[in-house]
């Protein structure tokens, strides 16, 4: 009797032990499979893939647009396309190159002061527009009415495309006015040079500015005949 | 002995096909409890070979060891003392000692 009962308890314990072992084994394996960094890698790979697909689709869209030839070439639509950045433009203008400070930041100062930020570029862009710039592009990204300029980690995002310093801002307009606006005493260039940020302005006779590469889609806004106050 | 192995295999299969898994927070508690029960099982085998196996002592030892180990690790975690490693070391040492006894016993029997 004694032996039989002992054997039964042993069997029960073995069942429980095996159960626990398997459970622990499976859980450990699941944890290893679900590490967060793997998720990050997966997302980054997917983002890259999507960007590639996007590029391909954009190209086919351009081809189709050319092939269809429906677009009217009136003066008005040409102007509209230039304003909205749908066509590449050429003309006299300036190239501004802005780069992070070469000065090693001292330990007492905030290293952020020595880097180019979205605010700096926004100030420059604003100055250019005030001086009558007709078309502006940052690192090949044409600025439109809906373009954003913002910090995205160590890089900058313009038209949802990330670029890293040095930033090349191209602007078409009266090049003398544009240069004067940037180099104004106490203006943007002066403010940035205090921190050693390298800013270089170049006048170009025939400057090329690319078109806005994505397509505009209006999800919420629709044209209306209503007048203000109605 | 054969029944025990059968039981072990049934348990393993059950564990593999059950949909639950242990939350990460309780993983260390669970592993210490597992080690404690492993230790008890080896102790039980040794006791059986020495002829002093008592199933009540065996079961109570197993349950209390596992629970106490998990409890100690839990308390240690809240106090900032890593009792996890202490439990691992203690049970590990005991498992190896018991294994040594079992091996000697098997060798002597031949």
């Amino acid at each position: 009797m004694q032996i039989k009962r002992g054997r039964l308890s042993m069997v029960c314990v073995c069942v429980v032990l095996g159960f626990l072992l398997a459970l622990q084994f499976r859980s450990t394996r699941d944890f290893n499979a679900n590490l967060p960094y793997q998720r990050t890698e997966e997302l980054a790979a997917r983002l890259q893939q999507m960007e590639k697909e996007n590029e391909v689709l954009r190209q086919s869209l351009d081809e189709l647009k050319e092939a269809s030839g429906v677009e009217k070439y009136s003066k008005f639509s040409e102007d509209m396309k230039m304003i909205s950045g749908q066509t590449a433009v050429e003309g006299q203008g300036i190239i501004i190159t802005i780069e992070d400070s070469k000065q090693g930041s001292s330990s007492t100062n905030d290293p952020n002061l020595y880097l180019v930020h979205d605010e700096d570029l926004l100030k420059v862009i604003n100055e250019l527009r005030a001086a009558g710039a007709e078309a502006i592009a940052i690192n090949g990204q044409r600025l439109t009415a809906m373009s954003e300029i913002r910090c995205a980690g160590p890089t900058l995002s313009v038209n949802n495309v990330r670029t890293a310093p040095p930033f090349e801002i191209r602007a078409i307009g009266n090049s003398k006015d544009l240069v004067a606006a940037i180099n104004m005493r106490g203006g943007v260039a002066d403010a940035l040079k205090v921190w050693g940020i390298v800013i270089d302005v170049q006048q170009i006779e025939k400057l090329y500015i690319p078109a806005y590469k994505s397509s505009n889609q209006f999800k919420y806004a629709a044209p209306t005949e209503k007048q203000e106050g109605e | 002995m054969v029944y025990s192995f059968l039981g072990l295999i049934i348990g393993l299969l059950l564990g593999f096909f059950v949909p639950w898994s242990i939350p990460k927070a309780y993983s260390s508690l669970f592993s210490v409890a597992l080690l404690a029960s492993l230790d008890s099982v080896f102790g039980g085998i040794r006791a059986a070979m020495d002829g002093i196996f008592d199933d009540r002592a065996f079961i109570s030892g197993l349950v209390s060891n596992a629970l106490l180990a998990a409890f100690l690790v839990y308390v240690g975690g809240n106090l900032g003392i890593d009792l996890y490693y202490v439990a691992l070391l203690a049970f590990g040492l005991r498992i190896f000692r018991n294994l040594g006894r079992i091996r000697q016993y098997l060798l002597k029997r031949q």
Side-chain angles (χ1 to χ4, degrees):
Chain A
M1 189 61 197
Q2 181 67 30
I3 296 164
K4 255 199 172 163
R5 247 176 59 189
R7 191 171 278 171
L8 187 69
S9 64
M10 198 73 186
V11 170
C12 287
V13 164
C14 278
V15 171
V16 172
L17 190 69
F19 180 72
L20 294 185
L21 266 175
L23 207 60
Q24 174 78 356
F25 177 75
R26 222 164 38 102
S27 301
T28 312
R29 206 181 43 187
D30 289 352
F31 291 147
N32 291 340
N34 283 340
L35 285 177
Y37 74 85
Q38 280 176 340
R39 174 89 179 132
T40 322
E41 273 178 14
E42 188 190 304
L43 286 178
R46 225 162 75 190
L47 179 67
Q48 275 183 353
Q49 200 202 337
M50 286 295 161
E51 277 175 349
K52 260 185 210 161
E53 273 181 37
N54 206 357
E55 186 65 32
V56 172
L57 286 174
R58 193 176 296 150
Q59 274 176 8
S60 72
L61 181 70
D62 285 349
E63 281 166 20
L64 286 173
K65 260 188 192 167
E66 269 177 38
S68 67
V70 196
E71 290 164 55
K72 288 179 201 155
Y73 281 96
S74 65
K75 175 82 176 83
F76 179 72
S77 78
E78 195 76 343
D79 280 358
M80 279 298 139
K81 277 168 82 179
M82 260 161 65
I83 289 170
S84 65
Q86 296 292 320
T87 48
V89 288
E90 212 174 25
Q92 66 162 304
I94 61 171
I95 296 182
I96 307 169
T97 318
I98 302 180
E99 202 169 349
D100 288 344
S101 177
K102 294 271 188 288
Q103 291 173 12
S105 55
S106 53
S107 54
T108 51
N109 270 336
D110 185 0
N112 268 324
L113 294 170
Y114 297 90
L115 300 176
V116 181
H117 287 281
D118 45 358
E119 298 162 20
D120 305 329
L121 288 193
L122 281 167
K123 274 182 200 155
V124 171
I125 299 299
N126 200 31
E127 214 57 58
L128 288 173
R129 282 190 169 147
E134 288 167 1
I136 302 172
I138 298 177
N139 281 7
Q141 285 302 316
R142 177 74 168 270
L143 288 190
T144 69
M146 282 185 254
S147 297
E148 90 290 6
I149 300 172
R150 62 182 285 261
C151 282
T155 59
L156 229 102
S157 157
V158 180
N159 288 347
N160 283 320
V161 175
R162 289 177 303 279
T163 50
F167 300 106
E168 187 200 70
I169 305 173
R170 289 169 172 239
I172 288 182
N174 185 329
S175 54
K176 267 188 203 146
D177 285 1
L178 295 178
V179 171
I182 294 304
N183 289 335
M184 183 169 58
R185 197 169 288 243
V188 225
D190 275 3
L192 290 177
K193 275 174 186 162
V194 173
W195 303 110
I197 285 170
V198 188
I199 175 160
D200 173 61
V201 184
Q202 222 183 325
Q203 289 190 47
I204 305 282
E205 201 52 49
K206 244 186 169 344
L207 185 67
Y208 169 83
I209 289 187
Y212 178 55
K213 291 187 187 92
S214 319
S215 61
N216 282 320
Q217 279 178 341
F218 291 93
K219 258 195 231 164
Y220 302 105
T224 173
E225 297 293 322
K226 271 190 198 162
Q227 300 292 314
E228 205 178 342
E230 257 182 60
Chain B
M1 207 65 192
V2 180
Y3 287 116
S4 320
F5 268 111
L6 221 64
L8 192 65
I9 287 164
I10 291 169
L12 279 172
L13 288 178
L14 260 178
F16 266 111
F17 292 108
V18 151
W20 321 320
S21 68
I22 307 144
K24 181 117 195 163
Y26 301 118
S27 180
S28 62
L29 299 187
F30 195 82
S31 56
V32 167
L34 183 61
L35 200 66
S37 18
L38 258 181
D39 166 59
S40 293
V41 168
F42 279 115
I45 294 172
R46 200 209 69 195
M49 285 174 166
D50 286 349
I52 51 166
F53 183 79
D54 174 21
D55 64 333
R56 266 188 301 183
F58 175 64
I59 297 282
S60 64
L62 183 127
V63 172
S64 65
N65 265 356
L67 288 183
L68 191 69
F71 176 70
L72 267 182
V73 170
Y74 172 74
V75 169
N78 284 347
L79 292 180
I81 311 165
D82 240 345
L83 290 177
Y84 178 66
Y85 297 104
V86 178
L88 281 192
L89 201 68
F91 287 124
L93 279 175
R94 277 181 51 161
I95 286 176
F96 280 115
R97 209 169 46 214
N98 283 336
L99 265 180
R101 285 279 195 82
I102 293 166
R103 186 172 43 84
Q104 277 174 5
Y105 183 85
L106 288 176
L107 282 176
K108 254 186 226 161
R109 203 172 57 171
Q110 271 180 350

